[in-house]
Amino acid sequence: MEKQTFFQKLRKGMGKTRDNWFSGLFTSERLNDEFYEELEEALILADAGMETACRLTERLRAAVKANKLETREQAREQLTRLIAETVTPKTDFSADGGPCALLIVGVNGVGKTTSIGKIANAYRLAERKVVLAAADTFRAAAAEQLGQLAERAQVPMIRHSEGSDPAAVVFDAIASYKAKGCDLLIADTAGRLHNKKNLMNELAKIRRVITRELPDVPCETLLVLDATTGQNATAQVKAFAEAAELTGLILTKLDGTAKGGIVIHIADSLGVPVRFVGVGEGIDDLQAFDPEAFAGAIL
């Protein structure tokens, strides 16, 4: 059996969002006010947010008029382009351009540690020299879990005993990064509620250690979000952005939600780019975010 392409997986994963809200929109030929009202409602129900839904709908109206489009199928093609444009990151991702440190953050239960294992595996397959820092020293099984994933991905991992200072773990991982000539450091952190001030301060401390010890290496702070969270994700993004200089998102469980429009909302309203998306449990089911593939899959 031929292995599915990532677009096929993404399209299958986005099925709930597409089938629940968008499937009936493009069956008719008539482009009228009712179509735009239905589209706006569908975007809101898919968790694109009211402001984003209104903005996209008005941009589509203008594009339809300017390009003299006549059918809903033509409108769908135009909307696909508008969505892709909206979710396309405005900045390059440092990890794809050379040496980089990735600080991975998020609340409990979103798939943070497993995402790190998948990212480490992907970059190791791309012939990058990766080292992991097991800086989640609060959860008893965290280092063991990350260790198993590190072994599976065939990358080294630095750990301390439970309850150790997470910043000290990262410090030692950086020493290993330098000694082994690595070019990608990935640091796991304890799952934390975004309203716990002391834990958020700890993230800032880890970030300072990375900046101090690797002054010439860009540091990306990626927040892992469960796509099924929907609009509640907005509060998490804002809080982590304040505490940890958030630069991007890893969106997991996109295959388990009918609320895939949250990707559009976050990109449009908060300006935080999605860097990776997960559409399955396999080690290769978390991949770099492709704006065109996402836009095509959701519609």
Side-chain angles (χ1 to χ4, degrees):
M1 182 177 174
E2 187 179 346
K3 189 176 179 180
Q4 284 184 313
T5 67
F6 190 63
F7 173 74
Q8 288 170 328
K9 289 181 181 179
L10 186 61
R11 190 179 187 284
K12 183 179 179 182
M14 295 297 293
K16 288 183 181 179
T17 301
R18 186 175 60 252
D19 295 343
N20 279 17
W21 314 123
F22 299 106
S23 61
L25 263 178
F26 304 100
T27 53
S28 168
E29 284 296 302
R30 294 187 64 196
L31 269 175
N32 50 21
D33 288 341
E34 183 182 359
F35 165 73
Y36 292 110
E37 289 170 9
E38 289 175 357
L39 173 61
E40 190 173 298
E41 181 182 4
L43 287 165
I44 292 169
L45 289 170
D47 260 359
M50 186 168 291
E51 289 183 6
T52 296
C54 292
R55 217 168 3 247
L56 263 179
T57 304
E58 288 309 308
R59 288 179 66 197
L60 179 62
R61 273 185 187 271
V64 165
K65 186 176 180 180
N67 295 298
K68 296 182 171 59
L69 305 183
E70 297 178 353
T71 68
R72 292 195 181 195
E73 183 55 40
Q74 290 173 323
R76 170 160 54 184
E77 292 172 3
Q78 183 65 48
L79 181 59
T80 300
R81 286 192 285 272
L82 290 175
I83 290 175
E85 183 183 306
T86 301
V87 300
T88 296
K90 305 301 185 286
T91 56
D92 293 332
F93 185 45
S94 300
D96 292 336
C100 185
L102 298 181
L103 178 60
I104 312 298
V105 302
V107 301
N108 283 313
V110 293
K112 186 164 45 63
T113 304
T114 53
S115 293
I116 290 170
K118 292 174 181 180
I119 292 170
N121 183 68
Y123 278 108
R124 195 265 306 168
L125 289 174
E127 300 186 346
R128 299 289 293 275
K129 294 194 70 176
V130 183
V131 62
L132 303 184
D136 179 355
T137 60
F138 289 94
R139 187 164 63 89
E144 284 78 6
Q145 182 187 3
L146 189 64
Q148 291 170 1
L149 292 165
E151 189 174 323
R152 189 175 173 193
Q154 300 175 43
V155 298
M157 184 190 82
I158 305 301
R159 64 179 292 182
H160 286 188
S161 58
E162 186 182 337
S164 300
D165 179 5
V169 179
V170 173
F171 180 88
D172 285 353
I174 290 171
S176 178
Y177 170 99
K178 293 175 179 176
K180 294 177 179 177
C182 294
D183 59 9
L184 186 63
L185 167 72
I186 309 177
D188 190 13
T189 62
R192 63 203 70 215
L193 294 171
H194 52 276
N195 57 3
K196 295 293 184 182
K197 195 170 188 300
N198 59 329
L199 291 174
M200 299 303 273
N201 288 340
E202 181 187 275
L203 282 182
K205 180 182 177 183
I206 293 172
R207 175 93 187 205
R208 287 196 301 272
V209 168
I210 294 172
T211 303
R212 185 186 70 226
E213 297 300 318
L214 295 172
D216 299 321
V217 175
C219 179
E220 297 266 1
T221 303
L222 303 182
L223 171 64
V224 181
L225 282 178
D226 180 336
T228 62
T229 305
Q231 283 291 315
N232 291 332
T234 303
Q236 291 182 35
V237 174
K238 288 179 178 177
F240 278 97
E242 291 173 8
E245 298 177 52
L246 198 62
T247 61
L249 303 176
I250 300 169
L251 205 61
T252 64
K253 305 179 188 176
L254 199 57
D255 55 325
T257 181
K259 302 289 189 176
I262 190 63
V263 177
I264 309 170
H265 169 71
I266 289 172
D268 181 57
S269 300
L270 303 177
V272 182
V274 176
R275 296 303 189 186
F276 297 94
V277 289
V279 288
E281 297 298 320
I283 197 163
D284 60 346
D285 287 337
L286 183 85
Q287 293 197 14
F289 180 62
D290 182 329
E292 286 78 20
F294 169 79
I298 200 171
L299 294 181

